[in-house]
């Protein structure tokens, strides 16, 4: 999962891009990058690390121009090398930079076509560079010195035809404008906004609405599945549906975990959806455990589950307490490669408030259970703090299948619930009781009458139904071999030699390290 932003402004956009990336930092803490454009020249800064660590004053001063795009990443495909930090750049045609959130499911096939038929060279293992080169190749076909918005939309249409999977994309065509487009299923979110200034209208495209409102822009609307928008060099806005048969099937895990609670995705409040998740989960507890459920206190696992846990406690009529204090300087644990690293990080990230556990029957609520490492450690922490019994509730159903659309759940044998019953998972994590949300209840929690067109979701991690073509057992087996923890360790175990490009201007890009 990643976060992207693009801004077409009337004044320098470096600070705006930085601020937007900090609002999207929850979507990836592995790497960050910004590229801006002034007078046909690009200025780039990207590296591994959090936004605050990648960009210093000297870097910000060097990011000149009124147009730019930014990216925050955690590595799903490829490796965690700084060479794969985004945005990516290709010189021909026009000079295009691109930032991508999602994952292409046919990247390896396209890679061969790009090399053999399109005569394009791919320098990394990132599917984002594949997508960039497909877009660049299709745009080059127009053969014009100045591409029109129709040329750009035709190139996006061909991207939809060639690329399968999930993608929310912002791209900058040097000297010509800013592009944003979304996959035909709308799996990954993308939204745009605007604001009027004395110099004229400014536009922003981002993964989440929080990056728009925090910068003082007005939300216009979500970019529809398959749609592309283009803000040209004169500041004129254009949009077009570029897919043949687009459908709204967004990733339901965005609402469960990834998005900020104050975000609005495809017209649905993430906060309200999580409240409803708490309601439906409480109703299931009353059905299955009965009114005499023996729960003394409900404690959320910070931070994502807090909203659902609060409403669950209200529905059950029991106390809600903050039993874990979170260290804000430790990254997300299930994103981290390697079980031992995740396990160690749980103890560093959370510290129990012992008085909330001692002698009580505690219901711990988390947004989901993926590998089981986090909840196993947390349950033991609750017992060490004196809890009499420890119950566990997941606001999401059992995660049984790999994710192929940009979430780091690629290996089935690393998913604790993949081939196990609820009771078997309960025993493994050490809980006295365990309950999961039902999938239909989760869908109902996200749906709203205010958005009648949004009825379907990508729920593949729960039900194994993939919304794009070509996802079979052979594909999943190959994916697991490439992207499980062992493969990541082997891939990232080499020495990465980088050339210090400070003050070097290559193919029109100044990269300031």
């Amino acid at each position: 999962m990643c976060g992207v932003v693009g801004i077409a402004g009337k004044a320098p956009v470096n600070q705006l891009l930085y601020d937007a990336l900090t609002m999207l930092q929850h979507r990836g803490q592995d790497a960050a990058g910004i590229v801006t454009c002034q007078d046909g020249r690009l200025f780039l800064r990207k590296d591994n690390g959090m936004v605050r660590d990648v960009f210093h004053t000297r870097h910000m001063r060097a990011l000149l121009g009124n147009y730019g795009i930014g990216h925050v990443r955690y590595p799903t495909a490829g490796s965690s090398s700084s060479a794969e930090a985004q945005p990516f750049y290709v010189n021909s045609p026009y000079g295009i930079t691109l930032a991508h959130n999602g994952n292409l499911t046919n990247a390896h096939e396209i890679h061969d076509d790009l090399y053999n038929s399109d005569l394009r060279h791919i320098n990394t293992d990132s599917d984002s560079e594949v997508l960039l080169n497909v877009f660049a190749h299709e745009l080059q076909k127009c053969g014009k010195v100045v591409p029109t918005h129709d040329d750009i939309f035709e190139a996006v249409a061909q991207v939809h035809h060639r690329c399968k999977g999930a993608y929310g994309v912002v791209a900058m065509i040097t000297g010509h404008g800013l592009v944003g487009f979304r996959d035909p299923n709308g799996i990954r979110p993308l939204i745009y906004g605007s604001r009027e200034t004395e110099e004229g209208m400014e536009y922003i495209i981002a993964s989440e609405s929080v990056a728009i409102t925090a910068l003082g822009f007005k939300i216009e609307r979500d970019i529809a599945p398959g749609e592309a928008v283009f803000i040209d060099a004169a500041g004129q806005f254009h949009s077009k549906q570029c897919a043949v048969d687009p459908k709204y099937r967004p990733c339901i895990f965005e609402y469960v975990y990834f998005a900020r609670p104050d975000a609005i995705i495809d017209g649905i409040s993430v906060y309200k959806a999580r409240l409803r998740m708490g309601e439906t989960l409480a109703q299931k507890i009353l059905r299955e455990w009965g009114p005499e459920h023996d729960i003394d206190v409900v404690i959320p696992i910070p931070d994502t589950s807090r909203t659902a846990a609060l409403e669950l406690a209200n529905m059950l009529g029991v106390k809600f307490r903050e039993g874990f204090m979170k260290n804000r300087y430790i990254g997300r644990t299930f994103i981290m490669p390697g079980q031992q690293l995740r396990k160690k990080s749980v103890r560093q990230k959370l510290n129990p408030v012992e008085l909330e556990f001692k002698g009580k029957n505690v219901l711990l609520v988390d947004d989901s259970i993926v590998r089981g490492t986090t909840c196993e450690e947390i349950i033991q922490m609750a017992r060490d703090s004196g809890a009499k019994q420890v119950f566990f509730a997941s606001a999401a159903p059992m995660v049984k299948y790999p994710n192929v659309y940009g979430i780091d759940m690629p290996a089935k044998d690393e998913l604790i619930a993949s081939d196990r019953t609820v009771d078997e998972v309960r025993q493994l994590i050490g809980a006295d009781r365990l309950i999961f949300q039902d999938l239909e209840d989760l869908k109902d929690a996200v749906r709203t009458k205010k958005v009648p067109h949004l009825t379907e979701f990508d729920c593949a991690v729960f039900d194994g139904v993939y919304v794009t073509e070509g996802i079979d057992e052979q594909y999943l087996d190959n994916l697991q071999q490439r992207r499980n923890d062992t493969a990541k360790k082997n891939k990232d175990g080499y020495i990465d030699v980088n050339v210090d490009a400070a003050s070097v201007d290559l193919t029109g890009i100044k990269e300031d390290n």
Side-chain angles (χ1 to χ4, degrees), residues 37 39-42 89-90 93-97 172-177:
C37 180
D39 299 328
R41 187 179 179 188
L42 299 177
Y89 169 79
V90 67
Y94 313 114
I96 303 173
T97 46
M172 187 167 58
I173 305 172
T174 306
H176 298 293

Side-chain angles (χ1 to χ4, degrees), residues 16 54 67 73 222 232 272 297 332 373 375 405 463 498:
L16 290 174
V54 172
Y67 276 60
R73 178 197 76 173
D222 294 272
D232 61 29
K272 287 290 186 68
V297 62
R332 290 182 170 183
T373 310
C375 54
Y405 300 126
D463 60 12
N498 290 312

Side-chain angles (χ1 to χ4, degrees), residues 6 23 70 87 98 113 120 129 137 149 188 218 252 336 352 356 370 386 395 403 462 464 467 480 496:
M23 298 300 294
L98 178 143
D113 290 340
R120 284 185 169 269
E129 190 184 10
H137 177 77
H149 58 271
R188 291 289 152 244
K218 179 186 73 172
I252 204 164
M336 295 179 180
E356 296 296 349
V370 180
N403 183 277
F462 306 124
V467 299
Q480 176 165 327
D496 185 17

Side-chain angles (χ1 to χ4, degrees), residues 266-292:
D266 290 317
I268 294 174
S269 164
V270 175
Y271 177 77
K272 287 290 186 68
R274 289 177 184 168
L275 283 177
R276 293 191 289 267
M277 290 175 205
E279 291 178 8
T280 54
L281 189 55
Q283 291 165 2
K284 184 175 181 180
I285 288 173
L286 292 173
R287 287 196 309 269
E288 298 196 357
W289 296 358
E292 303 300 324

Side-chain angles (χ1 to χ4, degrees), residues 119-134:
L119 304 180
R120 284 185 169 269
H121 174 71
I122 306 298
N123 195 47
T124 71
D125 292 326
S126 173
D127 62 327
S128 303
E129 190 184 10
V130 170
L131 196 156
L132 166 60
N133 276 272
V134 171

Side-chain angles (χ1 to χ4, degrees), residues 362-383:
V362 178
L363 175 63
L364 302 179
V365 181
D366 207 352
D367 50 74
S368 59
I369 300 176
V370 180
R371 291 174 170 95
T373 310
T374 301
C375 54
E376 181 184 1
E377 285 294 306
I378 288 172
I379 289 168
Q380 188 57 51
M381 289 165 67
R383 294 197 188 281

Side-chain angles (χ1 to χ4, degrees), residues 4-8 12-24 33-37 51 55 60 63 65-71 172 204-205 215:
V4 300
V5 61
I7 299 177
V13 295
N14 52 354
Q15 186 65 52
L16 290 174
L17 290 167
Y18 177 94
D19 293 341
L21 290 184
T22 62
M23 298 300 294
L24 298 173
I34 291 175
V35 62
T36 59
C37 180
V51 173
F55 301 101
M60 297 300 294
L63 293 170
N66 298 349
Y67 276 60
I69 63 176
H71 185 267
M172 187 167 58
I204 180 172
I205 306 168
L215 270 59

